[in-house]
């Protein structure tokens, strides 16, 4: 068993070394911690040595919910989709670390890119009016008295589109989005919270990097 | 005064003056009137009021200086009426004032509280006119503005000085007119006056003879038309009245109609010009004249419709929004100027003002309209082609009664906001804009269109931003955080510095939502909210509302947030909200000062900063901004110090960035009014940085630095430090910035204080030719610059060479000219400087030639004790150095009496200065004789019991010189002046010894004085003084002892021989 764990540790260290060269924002120790955390999250699957593809959607959603206080199922799915780059319905170790690199410590540019990917539902590199509507459809309390309960949301979409659509083509390209966010940082998470706030980031890092080192 | 107050001022139900802009300006006008009254009209100011004005004051005995007897907490004025009653009596908290001179003195004493005092006085003396003039005079004043002959009243009046009383009456009358016309400027006349006139003209045409006539006659009550087109008397115009009509219909009795900006209504029967009563409204208010006539005269109503042609001639009077300027009046007496003359400049002004007003009131005309139209009740069923606006409002009202809150959102909104605002808007502008409906005469068919359409039409009155903002606020209320952030961003896109938007946010309830967001956990929402708040809080009303809603507490709480952006924004918002006292207090009470000081921790002087450090710097900058705003009150300054803010500010002072330095230095200079700060600035080495930043390119920064030096250089070490760090030259070069008056005031102030150190003057300033520049600044500068320039010159003139330079640059003449000013601070400095210059014979010749001595002398009459003493000090060198000074002094009629009377002052400094001046005057025998006649001896003798060494010195000097006439020596002895003088020899001050020895020597020439002296044991200290190095002192002491000795010898001889 000790052979096993020492072998494991060795493996992890090598892996960490490779990955830390490919990913920004994390040093080797931190990557190591993240790998451990990943393994813990994978639970017994990893311990039993069976081939595991990674974190599935359910698991990932519960992480987002428990650690980063996200509640919106739709947004959580979208975040999962963005993490899962190869679209195999699992977040692999590499995807996990790459994703977290932006998620926790991304620069403004990286975050803009990330958020844009999250909001670009059909991955056509544009956020269309319909996509915005879809993203915002639950964001206003519907007033039953109104003839068209969606009127408010439609209006909000129009207002936002007008503000952000710099090339006036009725949809947001990446450069539209980027420009708007740089003008007003608040627009980064314009269509739903898909990044953790500073407190949960700190709490998570504390949990992963410090508590694990002690172990 | 009485009239405008009772009728025009806006009172709350509790009898308080409301805090409205109109009341403020009214008060300010009154204040300047009262303040200047005693200097402008000294005789009238003496007139004793029929009844005292009483009110509860915030002033205490400590606020009163000379001219008052102070006993405990009670104060009485020296000035008394013929019955011996003091004209001012204070037994806290009540104060009684019985003349204008006392009133204006009191206002001066109250300093920055003067507005409150006046407000309290007015609130508690609503019948001030009656109290001042007595009921019969006040009646006339109340009645009309025309020049009523009041002479006959004087016969009835038993007053002693009728002439002054009439003058006073006229003055008050003028004042009254001025006030009213000032107020008129603020009032817009809404109705289109030309349209109204045309209407009336067409109506007159309908009065033609024969069967066809609809009315018998139409006439104005007054033929006189004011320049603004109104015919109503001025004081009624305040209410919005335009003119009065008497209409004689064919079928009913005469109709007396008031045309006012609020509409048309029947009055109590104003038959002719100048009626005193009948102005009250006795009918509903109608939107236009035609409707009113139709409702009152069935005959007219029936026939008017037939006369289609006639109708066409009747344009609608309702409401083209036009502004008509009222009389433009600034100076007293301008009312009498011919009105035609004024009309020229009236128009431009009106346009400007119109724009201004329009902007200001844009957000809520709709409410005003609703509020104003509510009285027109029954008129709604009338099928007038012109009454669409009115119907609309009544429809809205119906809706209110009927479906209430369920009506369409927009209507709902205006209703809900109505109750609170209605009363105030009505009060603010009684004749507020009636409506802004377009003037097109709507045809019958249009009138029957859908309500909703109409509402839309009337909705367009508000700027489009208003509705957009309202919609956004709705989303804010009903949105989750994503929608909220989007909405906040959308709101940020509006021009939030524009008042329309600012007030719109408040008026639609957005402010509440924004403040609520601050208490959530959503960082982004808080950031968005603060971004909006920091901008809209540039508006005074918004700031107050934020504080009223308790928003400031939430903002202060955010200062603890771990998110730096949030902290910076919160501090920035505090900086812009905390511009008034209550807000600053709130910040302190909720621990905000400490939190703000904590924001100041950051690294500033590293060459390259990480992104994180840069954020810290930004947070610190915002913190400094907020502290700057907060530091305007004393307790906060103290709180900043206690929180350890001074060293942190000192560290930030080393920052290379201007945007950081401005708030930091701004805070420091604001706080430098406290001694603790001045010491800290000196000991923490901040003077160096302040000096360094004097060389900045940023004028604001330069100004704050100069101001800080100005305040700190009271201290000698600081002055030396300024010189050491080479701060004098940059200060001098700032004198060239003649266009930036604030900077100039700061720079001259700093130079003034630095020049108190002779080293600074002798070593540095002279070589920079600063005197020449300063003399140039003696003309055409604002008072705060002048005060400093003259103060500096006064310090420079302590050096003989400077006196010559001042003369050579032609500085004497402007200085003497400044003696006729009114600002006490300036006068103190001017007299001091003139006095210093007068020590030079050549300068004195010029001063004498310019009649400067008379000007200085007349300043002894100034109510300020500081000015009195400073003037008296200045007189000393003048008298000493003037050619033929005795003659010069005699030529000043009443001058000697004046100065002798000042010996009754209670201020030691005044007394000392006056004694010094008397000593100089008494050198001339003739003048001494006059002084003696005015009773100088007993007055001086009375003062001898003082313990103030400065006063003792000059008092002894004065006594010594006054001994030289007649039996004065004996009189001093009889008045008991000798014994106290002997005690002066025990004083530690050598100068006191000197003058006392001289005085004793003079007094000892009278034998009985010698006996008193000897009894009091004068010989021993005198013998001690004989050992002094000062020859005159030796001589005086020896002379005195000799006289005593001689007397003793003579005595013995007498005993021996007889």
């Amino acid at each position: 068993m000790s052979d096993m764990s020492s072998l494991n540790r060795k493996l992890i260290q090598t892996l960490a070394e490779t990955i830390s060269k490919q990913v920004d924002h994390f040093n080797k120790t931190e990557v190591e911690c993240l790998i451990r955390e990943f393994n813990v999250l994978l639970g017994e699957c990893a311990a039993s040595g069976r081939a595991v593809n990674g974190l599935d959607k359910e698991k990932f959603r519960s992480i987002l919910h428990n650690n980063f206080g996200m509640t919106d199922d739709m947004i959580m799915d979208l975040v999962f989709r963005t993490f899962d780059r190869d679209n195999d319905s699992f977040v692999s170790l590499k995807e996990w670390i790459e994703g977290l690199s932006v998620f926790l410590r991304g620069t403004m540019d990286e975050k803009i890119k990330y958020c844009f990917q999250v909001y670009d539902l059909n991955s056509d590199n544009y956020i269309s009016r319909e996509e915005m509507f879809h993203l915002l459809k639950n964001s206003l309390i519907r007033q039953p008295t109104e003839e068209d309960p969606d009127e408010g949301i439609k209006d909000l979409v129009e207002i936002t589109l007008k503000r952000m659509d710099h090339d006036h083509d009725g949809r947001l390209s990446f450069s539209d989005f980027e420009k708007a966010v740089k003008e007003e940082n608040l627009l980064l998470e314009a269509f739903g919270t898909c990044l953790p706030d500073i407190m949960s980031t700190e709490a998570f890092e504390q949990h992963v990097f410090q508590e694990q080192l002690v172990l | 005064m009485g009239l405008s107050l009772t009728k025009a001022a806006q009172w709350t139900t509790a009898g308080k003056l409301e805090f409205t802009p109109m009341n403020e300006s009214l008060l300010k006008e009154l204040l300047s009137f009262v303040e200047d009254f005693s200097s402008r009209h000294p005789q009238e100011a003496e007139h004793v009021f029929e009844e005292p004005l009483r009110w509860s004051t915030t002033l205490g005995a400590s606020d009163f200086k000379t001219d008052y007897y102070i006993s405990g907490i009670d104060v009485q004025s020296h000035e008394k009426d013929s019955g011996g009653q003091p004209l001012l009596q204070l037994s806290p908290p009540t104060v009684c004032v019985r003349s204008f001179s006392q009133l204006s003195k009191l206002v001066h004493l109250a300093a920055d509280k003067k507005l409150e005092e006046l407000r309290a006085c007015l609130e508690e003396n609503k019948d001030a006119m009656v109290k001042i003039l007595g009921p019969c005079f006040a009646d006339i004043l109340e009645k009309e503005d025309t020049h009523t002959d009041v002479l006959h009243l004087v016969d009835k009046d038993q007053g002693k000085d009728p002439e002054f009383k009439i003058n006073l009456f006229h003055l008050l009358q003028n004042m009254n007119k001025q006030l009213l016309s000032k107020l008129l400027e603020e009032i817009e006349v809404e109705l289109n006056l030309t349209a109204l006139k045309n209407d009336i003209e067409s109506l007159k045409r309908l009065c033609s003879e024969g069967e066809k006539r609809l009315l018998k006659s139409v006439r104005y009550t007054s033929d006189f038309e004011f320049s603004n087109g109104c015919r109503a008397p001025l004081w009624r115009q305040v209410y919005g009245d335009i003119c009065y009509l008497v209409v004689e219909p064919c079928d009913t009795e005469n109709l007396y109609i008031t045309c006012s900006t609020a509409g048309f209504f029947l009055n109590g029967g104003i038959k002719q010009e100048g009626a005193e009563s009948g102005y009250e409204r006795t009918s509903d208010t109608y939107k236009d004249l035609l409707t009113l006539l139709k409702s009152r005269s069935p005959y007219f109503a029936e026939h008017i419709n037939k006369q289609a042609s006639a109708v066409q001639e009747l344009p609608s009077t309702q409401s083209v929004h036009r502004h008509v300027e009222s009389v433009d009046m600034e100076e007293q007496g301008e009312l009498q100027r011919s009105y035609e003359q004024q009309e020229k400049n009236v128009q431009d002004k009106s346009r400007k003002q119109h724009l201004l007003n329009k902007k200001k009131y844009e957000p809520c005309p709709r409410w005003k309209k609703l509020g104003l139209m509510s009285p027109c009740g029954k008129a709604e069923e009338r099928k007038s082609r012109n009454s669409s606006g009115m119907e609309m409002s009544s429809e809205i009202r119906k809706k209110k009664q009927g479906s209430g809150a369920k009506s369409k959102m927009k209507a709902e909104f205006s209703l809900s906001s109505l109750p609170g605002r209605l009363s105030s808007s009505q009060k603010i502008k009684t004749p507020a804009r009636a409506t802004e409906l377009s003037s097109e005469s709507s045809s019958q068919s249009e009138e029957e269109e859908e309500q909703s359409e109409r509402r839309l039409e009337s909705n367009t009155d508000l700027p489009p931003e208003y509705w957009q903002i309202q919609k956004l606020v709705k989303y804010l209320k009903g949105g989750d955080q994503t929608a909220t952030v989007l909405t906040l961003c959308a709101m940020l896109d509006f021009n939030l510095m524009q008042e329309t938007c600012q007030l719109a946010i408040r008026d639609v309830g957005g402010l509440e939502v924004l403040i609520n967001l601050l208490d959530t956990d959503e960082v982004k929402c808080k950031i968005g909210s603060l971004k909006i708040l920091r901008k809209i809080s540039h508006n005074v009303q918004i700031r107050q509302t934020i504080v009223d809603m308790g928003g400031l507490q939430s903002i202060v709480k955010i200062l603890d947030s771990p998110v730096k952006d949030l902290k910076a924004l919160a501090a920035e918002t505090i900086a812009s909200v905390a511009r008034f006292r209550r807000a600053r207090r709130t910040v302190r009470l909720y621990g905000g000062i400490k939190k703000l000081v904590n924001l100041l921790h950051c690294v500033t002087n590293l060459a390259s900063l990480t992104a994180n450090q840069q954020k810290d710097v930004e947070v610190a900058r915002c913190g400094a901004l907020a502290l700057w705003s907060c530091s305007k009150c004393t307790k906060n300054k103290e709180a900043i110090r206690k929180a350890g803010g001074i060293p942190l500010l000192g560290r930030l002072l080393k920052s290379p960035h201007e945007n950081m330095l401005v708030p930091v230095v701004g805070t420091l200079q604001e706080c430098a009014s406290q001694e603790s700060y001045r010491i800290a600035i000196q000991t923490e080495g901040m003077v160096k940085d302040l000096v360094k930043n004097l060389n900045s390119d940023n004028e604001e920064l330069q100004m704050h630095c100069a101001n800080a030096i100005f305040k700190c250089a009271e201290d000698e070490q600081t002055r030396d430090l300024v010189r050491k760090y080479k701060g004098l030259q940059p200060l001098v070069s700032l004198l060239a910035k003649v266009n930036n008056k604030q900077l100039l005031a700061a720079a001259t102030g700093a130079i003034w204080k630095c020049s108190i150190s002779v080293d600074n003057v002798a070593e540095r300033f002279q070589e920079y030719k600063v005197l020449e520049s300063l003399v140039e600044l003696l003309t055409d500068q604002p008072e705060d610059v002048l005060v400093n320039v003259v103060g500096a010159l006064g310090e420079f003139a302590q050096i003989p060479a400077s006196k010559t330079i001042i003369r050579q640059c032609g500085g004497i003449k402007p200085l003497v000219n400044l003696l006729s000013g009114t600002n006490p601070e300036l006068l103190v400095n001017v007299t001091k400087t003139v006095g210093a210059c007068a020590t030079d014979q050549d300068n004195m010749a010029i001063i004498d030639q310019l009649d400067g001595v008379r000007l200085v002398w007349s300043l002894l009459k100034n109510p300020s004790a500081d000015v009195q003493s400073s003037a008296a000090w200045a007189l000393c060198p003048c008298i000493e150095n003037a050619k033929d000074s005795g003659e010069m002094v005699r030529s000043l009629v009443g001058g000697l009496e004046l100065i002798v009377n000042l010996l009754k002052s209670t201020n030691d400094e005044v007394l000392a200065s006056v004694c010094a001046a008397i000593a100089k005057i008494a050198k001339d025998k003739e003048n001494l004789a006059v002084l003696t006649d005015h009773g100088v001896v007993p007055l001086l003798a009375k003062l001898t019991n003082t313990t103030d060494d400065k006063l003792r010195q000059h008092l002894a000097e004065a006594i010594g010189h006054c001994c030289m006439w007649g039996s004065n020596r004996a009189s001093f002895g009889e008045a008991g002046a000798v014994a106290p003088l002997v005690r002066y020899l025990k004083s530690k001050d050598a100068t006191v010894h000197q003058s006392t020895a001289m005085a004793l020597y003079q007094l000892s020439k009278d034998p009985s004085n010698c006996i008193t002296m000897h009894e009091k044991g004068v010989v021993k200290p005198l013998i001690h003084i004989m050992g002094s190095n000062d020859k005159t002192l030796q001589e005086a002491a020896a002379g005195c002892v000799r006289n005593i000795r001689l007397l003793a010898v003579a005595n013995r001889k007498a005993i021996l021989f007889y």
Side-chain angles (χ1 to χ4, degrees), chain B residues 33-53:
Chain B
F33 174 74
V34 173
E35 268 186 304
D36 300 342
F37 196 89
S38 63
S39 49
R40 280 204 200 171
H41 316 287
Q43 286 170 318
E44 285 77 9
E46 298 300 321
H47 175 78
V48 179
F49 296 167
E50 294 290 310
E51 266 182 83
L53 300 175

Side-chain angles (χ1 to χ4, degrees), chain B residues 415-517:
Chain B
L415 293 174
S416 63
S417 331
L418 248 158
R421 214 159 292 274
L422 208 88
S423 54
S424 66
S425 66
Q426 266 179 328
K427 268 180 195 159
I428 290 168
K429 282 199 162 197
T430 320
R433 63 186 56 195
T435 162
E436 286 181 50
L437 289 177
S438 55
S439 66
E440 97 280 19
S441 42
S442 45
S443 73
Q444 206 78 16
S445 62
E446 271 177 63
E447 207 183 333
E448 285 157 8
E449 276 172 4
E450 288 285 316
Q451 287 179 9
S452 56
E453 284 245 7
R454 284 253 183 70
R455 193 169 295 115
L456 270 178
E457 192 183 294
S458 72
N459 288 346
T460 55
D461 293 341
L462 288 168
E465 293 98 326
Y466 181 87
W467 300 117
Q468 286 162 14
I469 286 173
Q470 191 188 41
K471 195 174 64 184
L472 290 177
V473 169
K474 197 181 81 177
Y475 297 156
L476 274 187
K477 286 180 182 162
D480 72 348
Q481 54 156 316
T482 309
T484 303
V485 171
L486 281 182
T487 314
L488 291 173
C489 289
M491 223 179 241
L492 277 169
D493 275 352
F494 285 94
N495 180 2
L496 294 175
M497 302 305 266
Q498 195 185 325
E499 195 169 31
T500 329
C501 295
Q502 295 167 340
L503 295 181
I505 291 178
R506 181 194 66 179
D507 293 342
V508 301
L511 217 44
E512 252 170 306
V513 186
L514 289 173
I515 288 171
N516 279 340
L517 283 175

